[in-house]
Amino acid sequence: MVNLTYDGSWYGFLSAVFEVYEKKFSLVSILKEAFYLPEAFAGRYEVATNKLKAERVWNGLLKHLPVSSCKNIYCCYLSEIPGIENTLLKFIQLAFSTKEAEKAFANPAVLKVSQVAKMVHRERHRMEAFVRFKLTKDNIYFAEIEPDFNVLPLVTEHFRKRYADQKWLIYDLRRKYGIYYNLESVEEITFASTEDWNTKGESSVFEESEELYQSLWKDYFQHVNIQERKNTKLHLRHVPKRYWKYLVEKGV
Amino acid sequence: MSERIREKLQILADAAKYDVSCSSSGSNRKNHNKGLGDTGNGICHTYTEDGRCVSLLKILLTNFCIYDCAYCVTRKSNDIQRTAFTVQEVVDLTINFYRRNYIEGLFLSSGIFKNADYTMERLVRVAKKLRTEHKFNGYIHLKSIPGASDELMHEAGLYADRLSVNIEIPTEQGLKLLAPDKDRKDMIQPMNYLKEEIIQNREEKKLFKKAPLFAPAGQSTQMIIGASRETDKDIMFTANSFYRNFNLKRVYYSGYVPISNDSRLPGLSSAVPTIRENRLYQTDWLLRFYGFKVQEIVNNDHPNLDLDIDPKLGWALRNLHEFPLDINKADLHLILRVPGIGLQSAHKIVEARRFQRLNWEHLKKIGVALNRARYFITCNSSQFERKNYSESQIKQFILASSQSKHLKSITPQLSLF
């Protein structure tokens, strides 16, 4: 048994897959360096991230799988679920050895990949829906999020296309990075400290009209509701409580 | 100023909320002009406490109305506060909500003031301003006002993604009773005009890519359920004819919320028929995605849907001679007819069985609701329901094994006194 550790990056993971084939490892487990604990009866192999090797794996996958299934692999990687690398490895091995492997839903790895990818897609979709921009004084539409999975790379295109004529910034507080659109392109950014805007209070950071539009949105949300049809269970299923913190209309 | 706009929004959102259409999908208006917005699959940005999705800013331009339809809150004789937005106010609200990612776009309806053309002209003006002055590529859904001129209707189609006329009452007799000033023909007329225009536009699009978009998300309509004494058969046959004859994208069913003590309508204390509404939507899905014909689900022998079981299960129980199906052999269109198997599961089954024969465990993992499906299928296993259960036995077993979310409201409550 060998533990393959990689740096946690997407190219790192693909490089690890490459090593499995090159070194002909059979009993193997891939995990992030950060999660590695020495084990008595297992060796360790540290994978060096190598862009060329990673791209060879990726191009190989594109030859053996439809694009949608390749994207699913990337989504599963973004889920950051412990152990997902090993499910992905099984799936990739199956894909390289069997035709149309992505359709063998009775295989546990195939089913798991399709299910986890679906979870990630759902979270991505939720972020496209639940991001709430606030207009700052320097004319940037700013939003904070704490998604379950690392979905910022998946929503970039959506927001870039949609808000092409306004500057915007979405910051993932859990993973401590954000994406910023400067009217030309989207770049990844990190803040040295998040205290800046938290301590100053809303009024000094945000544009004057911001408060009015937030109240208008809250009013609208209240008044479009039909009391006679109240259905809290359904409401909670669609808008789970963990997202309320950043939803203007739920106003926590 | 801000207080006035808040008050207007409250009143005109309240008046618009009974229109259940919320879809923001089906259009494909891309952001080519570096403007604001991009339209795709549609997103539900939030959900109200009644569990309905909020995707569009759904408001009336005004709640002044010359009509007196018994089922409508904005009817002339109702004593409520009346107000109206200016065109600019609607535009500002839409743009500012959209920029904050609150909404997918605008759904603008209106009470009829003065006459049809006057009202329609204002709706079109809002859409035109958004599209031309603000380079807005978000979703716009406009009401087509019955009786408005073809020119206005055409212009509306150029700016809007979707247009709709609400038929409201499923039968003509019901409409005569509840809305004596309205005529079914006037409602159908714009639908027909738009259908022709949309077909013509699609043809032009094939020839010239640059031909302008015309209502790319098509038309929809809505029927109120339980306000007049129509059967589910009346409703579904009407819906079916709309899908067929007018190429509608969607028919919405809206359970009547009691808003009046008019003797022609259910009383103020009556409950909203939400279960019936749910069963109608299920039937609608069976027609559009599962290959069922409307007469198979509702007909003269079964004019109403069962409230305690879903319509597909109801059909299967009446047609036990079609089952059991072998899941490893049967065609996709037959698998789609099995209760407890949805669209996605059906497709997964057909893909997966090419690699190995499927058993109960596989089916369960794929997502089949076995508590219903197992009475109607066989698979790669020696265990299956072999007894010749009767229709009512199967129904009892299924009801006993499931905890329907509706159960509480179906069983008549025991009264203590």
Side-chain angles (χ1 to χ4, degrees):
Chain A
M1 174 78 181
V2 187
N3 282 316
L4 252 59
T5 58
Y6 73 103
D7 60 3
S9 70
W10 168 237
Y11 279 144
F13 168 69
L14 291 178
S15 305
V17 175
F18 188 89
E19 299 296 339
V20 172
Y21 277 90
E22 193 177 61
K23 300 274 185 315
K24 298 201 169 62
F25 290 122
S26 54
L27 266 178
V28 66
S29 171
I30 303 177
L31 73 166
K32 292 191 175 114
E33 265 162 26
F35 294 146
Y36 177 71
L37 290 172
E39 289 172 53
F41 301 103
R44 180 185 184 186
Y45 181 91
E46 287 181 53
V47 176
T49 301
N50 181 323
K51 204 179 161 202
L52 283 176
K53 289 178 179 176
E55 275 169 357
R56 271 182 67 188
V57 175
W58 184 245
N59 290 332
L61 285 171
L62 285 170
K63 273 184 209 139
H64 286 80
L65 288 170
V67 179
S68 60
S69 301
C70 294
K71 280 188 188 157
N72 280 353
I73 295 177
Y74 180 54
C75 288
C76 285
Y77 157 77
L78 291 177
S79 77
E80 302 173 333
I81 293 172
I84 195 69
E85 291 92 343
N86 294 322
T87 310
L88 286 176
L89 179 63
K90 278 186 200 140
F91 179 69
I92 290 169
Q93 285 172 330
L94 191 75
F96 282 138
S97 63
T98 322
K99 268 192 182 156
E100 301 197 311
E102 79 282 358
K103 291 177 183 166
F105 291 106
N107 178 303
V110 177
L111 194 62
K112 180 89 181 171
V113 166
S114 90
Q115 285 167 343
V116 172
K118 197 171 173 189
M119 285 160 66
V120 176
H121 280 304
R122 193 176 294 138
E123 189 67 5
R124 175 200 56 121
H125 190 74
R126 277 188 178 136
M127 286 307 125
E128 287 171 3
F130 293 161
V131 158
R132 294 287 179 266
F133 288 118
K134 296 173 182 176
L135 182 57
T136 64
K137 283 204 168 128
D138 32 10
N139 236 349
I140 297 172
Y141 285 84
F142 171 64
E144 296 166 300
I145 56 170
E146 280 182 274
D148 291 349
F149 309 121
N150 182 19
V151 292
L152 272 187
L154 299 176
V155 300
T156 308
E157 266 311 281
H158 169 82
F159 284 105
R160 190 184 63 76
K161 279 187 196 149
R162 171 162 296 210
Y163 299 112
D165 70 340
Q166 70 189 47
K167 287 190 239 173
W168 51 261
L169 165 59
I170 307 173
Y171 201 77
D172 184 339
L173 287 169
R174 188 174 295 178
R175 292 164 191 85
K176 298 199 173 48
Y177 80 105
I179 47 176
Y180 171 63
Y181 174 72
N182 56 15
L183 295 180
E184 291 299 324
S185 59
V186 181
E187 57 199 59
E188 227 178 87
I189 54 146
T190 48
F191 287 128
S193 108
T194 50
E195 279 164 36
D196 287 11
W197 71 81
N198 282 340
T199 47
K200 278 188 197 159
E202 301 251 318
S203 57
S204 63
V205 180
F206 296 109
E207 179 64 24
E208 269 170 53
S209 63
E210 181 53 38
E211 213 184 302
L212 169 66
Y213 283 107
Q214 287 190 24
S215 352
L216 282 167
W217 176 241
K218 282 184 202 166
D219 288 343
Y220 176 69
F221 182 71
Q222 287 306 324
H223 283 268
V224 81
N225 177 41
I226 299 180
Q227 260 312 316
E228 292 88 338
R229 300 182 59 114
K230 192 172 159 76
N231 189 343
T232 311
K233 212 171 134 188
L234 189 60
H235 172 65
L236 286 177
R237 195 167 77 207
H238 287 306
V239 194
K241 278 192 179 157
R242 64 181 183 282
Y243 300 102
W244 288 15
K245 197 168 156 194
Y246 301 107
L247 290 177
V248 172
E249 66 273 18
K250 296 305 293 180
V252 183
Chain B
M1 176 62 204
S2 71
E3 283 310 309
R4 241 176 82 76
I5 186 94
R6 284 185 68 173
E7 194 186 26
K8 279 187 186 181
L9 179 62
Q10 291 168 2
I11 294 169
L12 294 169
D14 246 325
K17 69 186 173 191
Y18 299 101
D19 207 312
V20 292
S21 165
C22 65
S23 151
S24 54
S25 61
S27 187
N28 193 25
R29 195 180 291 275
K30 292 298 165 205
N31 193 349
H32 291 310
N33 49 4
K34 208 167 181 182
L36 172 65
D38 192 72
T39 310
N41 288 333
I43 297 173
C44 304
H45 283 275
T46 189
Y47 291 80
T48 44
E49 282 171 10
D50 52 21
R52 298 186 312 153
C53 105
V54 181
S55 166
L56 304 171
L57 172 63
K58 191 191 296 179
I59 46 175
L60 297 192
L61 191 57
T62 176
N63 61 347
F64 287 103
C65 192
I66 54 173
Y67 285 109
D68 202 30
C69 312
Y71 49 81
C72 180
V73 256
T74 44
R75 64 188 178 278
K76 189 170 57 181
S77 61
N78 202 12
D79 180 21
I80 51 165
Q81 209 178 344
R82 309 272 168 176
T83 185
F85 277 126
T86 64
V87 170
Q88 191 58 44
E89 281 167 342
V90 178
V91 169
D92 285 345
L93 273 174
T94 310
I95 295 287
N96 277 290
F97 279 8
Y98 194 88
R99 286 197 184 283
R100 287 169 175 75
N101 204 38
Y102 296 165
I103 52 169
E104 285 296 284
L106 173 68
F107 178 170
L108 192 59
S109 179
S110 183
I112 315 293
F113 49 114
K114 284 196 187 165
N115 58 50
D117 270 351
Y118 190 86
T119 313
M120 193 71 208
E121 196 262 329
R122 261 157 194 73
L123 296 186
V124 171
R125 219 195 285 167
V126 172
K128 183 175 182 177
K129 197 159 191 170
L130 280 167
R131 294 282 189 232
T132 54
E133 286 177 30
H134 295 265
K135 290 206 228 162
F136 180 70
N137 303 306
Y139 195 89
I140 299 180
H141 179 160
L142 292 184
K143 274 266 113 80
S144 6
I145 306 296
S149 71
D150 286 354
E151 290 77 47
L152 278 171
M153 225 46 109
H154 178 80
E155 217 186 335
L158 291 177
Y159 301 120
D161 293 286
R162 174 167 284 183
L163 292 157
S164 64
V165 188
N166 285 355
I167 206 80
E168 303 294 15
I169 303 298
T171 59
E172 283 201 70
Q173 308 89 288
L175 188 69
K176 267 206 190 97
L177 178 72
L178 296 173
D181 342 328
K182 277 194 180 165
D183 190 347
R184 184 81 169 258
K185 271 195 222 101
D186 292 339
M187 298 179 172
I188 304 271
Q189 193 268 331
M191 243 186 237
N192 216 359
Y193 170 77
L194 289 169
K195 176 196 147 197
E196 300 298 332
E197 287 281 297
I198 290 170
I199 292 175
Q200 197 189 330
N201 178 257
R202 299 290 184 276
E203 294 298 317
E204 282 171 17
K205 268 273 185 221
K206 275 182 211 156
L207 295 174
F208 322 101
K209 265 200 153 165
K210 287 258 167 68
L213 288 173
F214 189 88
Q219 301 191 72
S220 66
T221 191
Q222 158 174 304
M223 285 187 267
I224 298 177
I225 305 310
S228 58
R229 288 195 188 77
E230 73 287 331
T231 62
D232 293 341
K233 181 182 155 237
D234 295 331
I235 298 168
M236 287 322 302
F237 272 66
T238 306
N240 191 51
S241 78
F242 279 128
Y243 281 128
R244 283 171 172 275
N245 303 334
F246 301 102
N247 301 345
L248 288 202
K249 292 276 181 180
R250 284 291 299 272
V251 175
Y252 291 91
Y253 311 91
S254 168
Y256 173 71
V257 180
I259 39 122
S260 156
N261 49 12
D262 193 307
S263 60
R264 292 168 291 176
L265 288 162
L268 275 175
S269 58
S270 52
V272 185
T274 48
I275 305 167
R276 186 177 178 203
E277 189 187 286
N278 182 226
R279 297 296 179 222
L280 288 165
Y281 275 112
Q282 287 174 321
T283 309
D284 186 280
W285 252 246
L286 291 182
L287 303 185
R288 290 191 298 140
F289 303 115
Y290 288 78
F292 280 91
K293 293 214 165 60
V294 66
Q295 339 38 307
E296 292 181 278
I297 312 287
V298 277
N299 46 46
N300 285 334
D301 296 332
H302 300 276
N304 286 305
L305 299 165
D306 297 311
L307 289 183
D308 52 353
I309 54 171
D310 66 83
K312 201 206 242 182
L313 180 56
W315 172 83
L317 289 174
R318 291 196 300 273
N319 293 280
L320 281 178
H321 57 273
E322 310 243 356
F323 299 102
L325 280 186
D326 183 347
I327 230 58
N328 286 303
K329 290 199 182 116
D331 282 348
L332 178 65
H333 75 273
L334 291 176
I335 292 181
L336 282 170
R337 290 179 167 244
V338 177
I341 299 185
L343 270 181
Q344 293 202 14
S345 306
H347 282 278
K348 275 189 180 159
I349 288 170
V350 176
E351 300 286 9
R353 69 185 182 189
R354 290 164 47 218
F355 296 87
Q356 61 197 105
R357 290 170 52 76
L358 306 177
N359 59 31
W360 294 117
E361 197 54 35
H362 293 140
L363 292 177
K364 197 176 164 189
K365 284 219 175 109
I366 280 173
V368 173
L370 285 183
N371 72 323
R372 270 171 290 156
R374 65 179 185 178
Y375 300 98
F376 304 97
I377 54 176
T378 60
C379 60
N380 189 26
S381 162
S382 53
Q383 303 163 318
F384 57 93
E385 299 290 339
R386 47 182 89 223
K387 290 177 200 150
N388 275 329
Y389 291 130
S390 72
E391 185 186 327
S392 60
Q393 277 171 314
I394 295 179
K395 185 170 164 179
Q396 284 314 313
F397 289 139
I398 291 176
L399 284 178
S401 69
S402 65
Q403 269 159 359
S404 168
K405 54 183 184 272
H406 299 315
L407 212 58
K408 232 192 318 183
S409 20
I410 295 167
T411 350
Q413 284 194 357
L414 291 175
S415 107
L416 281 172
F417 305 103

